[in-house]
Amino acid sequence: MMRSLLFVPGDDSGKLDKALASGADALILDLEDSVAADAKASARRTCLDFLKATAPLASRPRLYVRINALDSGLSDNDLDSVMTAGPDGIVLPKSASGADVTLLDARIAVREALHDLTDGQTRIIAIATETAASIFGLGSYAGASRRLSGLTWGGEDLAADIGAAGNKNAAGDWRQPFQLARNLCLFGAVSAGIIPIDTVYTDFRDLDGLRREAEVAEKDGFCGKLAIHPAQVAPINEIFTPSPQAIANARRIIGAFAAAGDPGVVGLDGKMLDRPHLLAARRTLERAGIES
Ligand code: COA
Ligand code: MG
């Protein structure tokens, strides 16, 4: 399950240790925006030490590293360092299109071979809406890499790129350009057969606001949400775990199709159900970690 993915500044060993106990499904050790330019090299060493110490633990979150952008001049050094410890995955910021993911795939493959890691074991999650141009690449991720397991989006760098004064309105809802980015990320991920992950909620003291945003995202089809503070993890996990009622309902729908000999359409409780309902039911069980 990838319900909660907690960002941790990669140069802060105190927060790295704290993050391990957060209950997050994945940690994203950050080498990019939360690390100052003059701390990049020491952050790589801190992340590497943490990965080496943590990877062997029997029970641990998945460990991803957010490298610097491909055009930053830093990403190859980031990979040279962290790939020696075999992280579970790499988060690619400022991804412009599937071509960027394909390029990263090749760079990862070289390091996997060099360090005797299993070919293909390192996954990729792309942050796919951080520039205006990237919006036009959101339909290009299908087939980009067999490593690609999720797409997520960001509203902070996008606001800076387009020169927006802000990204949310007075009521706390995303302004229109950011809703478009979010929605296209959702469609882009699902159409590429990978999971859509909702972006961060930056006001980390406002857990009610986080809950509202996460609930809407879950209803719309997102499978999880990025977190920036340990307090955000429990609400995110709760909201993105299919409820017992949702699981029971999904089982009934799948059962109704099976009992009727798998037709295109069935009736259940006086309501018509067709293929989209069956797919949604299967997806619910998949997200709950149940084989259907
Ligand atoms: N991971 C692990 N531990 C974290 C954490 C995180 N993302 N955010 C906060 N903590 C720890 C703090 O170090 C503190 O630990 P302590 O009690 O041992 O001192 C505790 O949780 C409470 O933190 P709090 O005082 O509420 O927040 P803060 O002011 O220390 O930190 C931020 C606020 C925003 C700086 C911090 O949450 C953070 O660094 N978040 C991640 C930022 C990031 O990676 N951004 C890039 C992606 S957008
Ligand atoms: Mg950023």
Side-chain angles (χ1 to χ4, degrees):
M1 273 190 288
M2 286 284 253
R3 302 162 302 180
S4 53
L5 301 90
L6 175 62
F7 270 113
V8 196
D11 59 346
D12 191 329
S13 51
K15 281 183 188 157
L16 286 167
D17 287 337
K18 193 137 200 153
L20 263 188
S22 67
D25 292 329
L27 305 184
I28 304 176
L29 283 47
D30 189 23
L31 295 174
E32 200 219 9
D33 284 349
S34 70
V35 176
D38 61 0
K40 298 286 186 192
S42 73
R44 284 183 198 122
R45 284 192 295 275
T46 304
C47 283
L48 185 59
D49 290 345
F50 180 79
L51 286 168
K52 282 185 175 153
T54 311
L57 299 180
S59 171
R60 60 164 176 81
R62 270 181 259 187
L63 302 171
Y64 277 69
V65 177
R66 179 165 75 170
I67 59 171
N68 287 279
L70 292 177
D71 64 1
S72 64
L74 298 167
S75 60
D76 271 308
N77 285 343
D78 292 340
L79 289 171
D80 281 342
S81 174
V82 297
M83 283 299 295
T84 61
D88 295 307
I90 299 293
V91 173
L92 178 65
K94 285 142 194 134
S95 181
S97 71
D100 278 353
V101 170
T102 306
L103 183 60
L104 175 61
D105 176 296
R107 293 183 179 175
I108 290 173
V110 172
R111 273 90 175 177
E112 281 177 346
L114 206 57
H115 304 304
D116 282 331
L117 301 170
T118 307
D119 179 37
Q121 74 170 53
T122 316
R123 316 300 301 170
I124 297 174
I125 292 174
I127 311 180
T129 70
E130 294 195 292
T131 62
S134 69
I135 303 303
F136 300 96
L138 282 164
S140 68
Y141 285 90
S145 162
R146 68 207 154 106
R147 301 174 192 281
L148 187 62
S149 51
L151 270 197
T152 187
W153 70 285
E156 311 304 321
D157 289 273
L158 182 59
D161 195 47
I162 65 177
N167 51 29
K168 287 188 170 174
N169 63 23
D173 297 319
W174 290 105
R175 297 171 60 90
Q176 287 209 10
F178 305 93
Q179 281 187 30
L180 180 70
R182 169 196 185 274
N183 296 344
L184 287 174
C185 172
L186 175 66
F187 296 131
V190 175
S191 67
I194 56 180
I195 62 166
I197 301 163
D198 195 26
T199 193
V200 295
Y201 189 80
T202 52
D203 190 355
F204 59 88
R205 300 273 180 246
D206 178 12
L207 293 179
D208 290 335
L210 168 79
R211 276 188 165 275
R212 278 194 298 274
E213 191 168 280
E215 277 163 5
V216 173
E218 195 273 338
K219 287 203 170 69
D220 285 351
F222 284 94
C223 296
K225 188 169 176 64
L226 301 175
I228 50 161
H229 191 284
Q232 296 182 325
V233 169
I236 290 175
N237 283 350
E238 181 201 315
I239 288 163
F240 287 96
T241 303
S243 68
Q245 300 97 292
I247 293 170
N249 194 41
R251 287 201 153 114
R252 281 190 72 218
I253 291 171
I254 290 166
F257 276 93
D262 209 21
V265 61
V266 295
L268 186 66
D269 305 333
K271 291 206 180 82
M272 182 206 78
L273 301 177
D274 57 8
R275 303 310 285 183
H277 299 96
L278 180 60
L279 291 178
R282 286 195 184 132
R283 197 168 294 146
T284 297
L285 294 194
E286 201 179 291
R287 279 179 44 210
I290 299 167
E291 300 270 328
S292 64

